[in-house]
Amino acid sequence: MGSNQSYWQKNLRLIMICLLIWFIVSFGFGLLLVEPLNNFSLGGYKLGFWFAQQGSIYTFVALIFWYSSKMNKLDKEHGVEE
Amino acid sequence: MNKHTKLAILIAPLLLIAGYIASDYYLEHQAAQDKVFYLNQQNNCDVLADKCVLESGEFLISVSDRQGTTQINATFPLDTVVLMLVNDDNSQQIYQLAMADSPYYWQAKTDLRESIPRAGDSRKLRLVAKIKGGSYISEFVSTTISR
């Protein structure tokens, strides 16, 4: 029971981190901070614009695999891997 | 591909769509906030001769007068238009223009033609055009060049 609760708590924590990164990258970098970020450039594009157009999507894809990898480790820790 | 990857791949597009909707809502909210833009007049303005164009970037408004009906023609659809004829003592007659055929055309009967009938006569006007919470304002002088 304690192990299940610990597993669930760690899972929730991971989900919250993912959602926080999702929010920071999409809203933070793509909308709220777009003007200050546009003072920098990446690959010839203004950074704020790049985050709104491509950067946030790259981050979302990276988050999928990062979440998956962390959950696999968590499964192993708790002996519930596939 | 294990269950976590499948789950994450399933959830990610939903978050993407949620983000898209929320961004749209945020930007729409920002656009709806009141903003004021100033329209400048192009060259000399003679409303009676149909030569009076006000501009702000790509937004243009043409002001003309036909038989006492003052008309506005804009490059973007407008929500409301108010025209003010300013008197010498700085008081003003206010006219709420009515939509003509479409939101691009607005008109109202005014005293403008009667007040500046001869060449050399001039009258100060003020215009307030509203588009989705944004106000385009202008103060300009119409000078009758020739009759």
Side-chain angles (χ1 to χ4, degrees):
Chain A
M1 184 67 185
S3 178
N4 281 350
Q5 202 165 4
S6 165
Y7 178 85
W8 181 236
Q9 288 299 324
K10 285 177 182 170
N11 188 355
L12 279 184
R13 188 166 171 271
L14 204 53
I15 290 170
M16 292 310 292
I17 291 170
C18 285
L19 285 176
L20 187 68
I21 294 171
W22 168 77
F23 181 82
I24 290 171
V25 170
S26 59
F27 281 89
F29 294 169
L31 274 173
L32 304 176
L33 298 171
V34 69
E35 292 301 333
L37 283 176
N38 277 344
N39 293 323
F40 306 94
S41 66
L42 183 73
Y45 296 102
K46 290 177 177 176
L47 192 57
F49 173 80
W50 182 81
F51 263 111
Q53 298 300 315
Q54 294 182 21
S56 55
I57 296 172
Y58 290 148
T59 310
F60 298 158
V61 173
L63 270 181
I64 290 173
F65 294 104
W66 182 73
Y67 170 79
S68 180
S69 152
K70 295 292 279 184
M71 283 306 292
N72 286 339
K73 279 183 190 167
L74 193 61
D75 283 355
K76 277 182 189 164
E77 276 177 29
H78 290 77
V80 289
E81 71 270 30
E82 285 180 349
Chain B
M1 189 184 289
N2 68 12
K3 60 186 176 188
H4 298 305
T5 312
K6 284 178 189 167
L7 185 69
I9 286 174
L10 192 73
I11 297 290
L14 297 177
L15 287 175
L16 195 71
I17 292 166
Y20 183 79
I21 292 168
S23 306
D24 190 54
Y25 179 79
Y26 173 82
L27 290 175
E28 190 180 330
H29 176 73
Q30 267 201 331
Q33 287 178 336
D34 283 349
K35 288 176 189 164
V36 176
F37 304 93
Y38 295 94
L39 291 157
N40 299 311
Q41 73 181 60
Q42 285 183 343
N43 305 321
N44 292 325
C45 172
D46 182 1
V47 173
L48 303 191
D50 200 4
K51 288 177 183 166
C52 188
V53 177
L54 310 171
E55 67 175 342
S56 174
E58 292 179 356
F59 181 56
L60 300 175
I61 287 184
S62 168
V63 188
S64 59
D65 189 283
R66 293 207 168 74
Q67 298 171 334
T69 300
T70 305
Q71 301 173 322
I72 302 289
N73 177 14
T75 50
F76 298 131
L78 306 173
D79 293 331
T80 61
V81 184
V82 176
L83 184 71
M84 288 155 261
L85 304 187
V86 183
N87 302 317
D88 292 338
D89 60 0
N90 213 29
S91 62
Q92 53 192 15
Q93 293 160 257
I94 301 172
Y95 298 93
Q96 177 81 50
L97 274 61
M99 192 192 300
D101 300 327
S102 71
Y104 295 90
Y105 298 92
W106 297 74
Q107 62 181 33
K109 277 205 170 294
T110 70
D111 296 333
L112 181 64
R113 181 171 287 275
E114 291 171 17
S115 67
I116 48 172
R118 291 177 299 276
D121 287 347
S122 64
R123 184 87 186 255
K124 188 190 284 184
L125 298 98
R126 294 185 182 122
L127 182 84
V128 180
K130 291 200 171 183
I131 305 175
K132 276 193 172 179
S135 294
Y136 285 84
I137 63 172
S138 181
E139 183 176 271
F140 58 102
V141 175
S142 176
T143 304
T144 306
I145 305 297
S146 61
R147 296 290 297 155

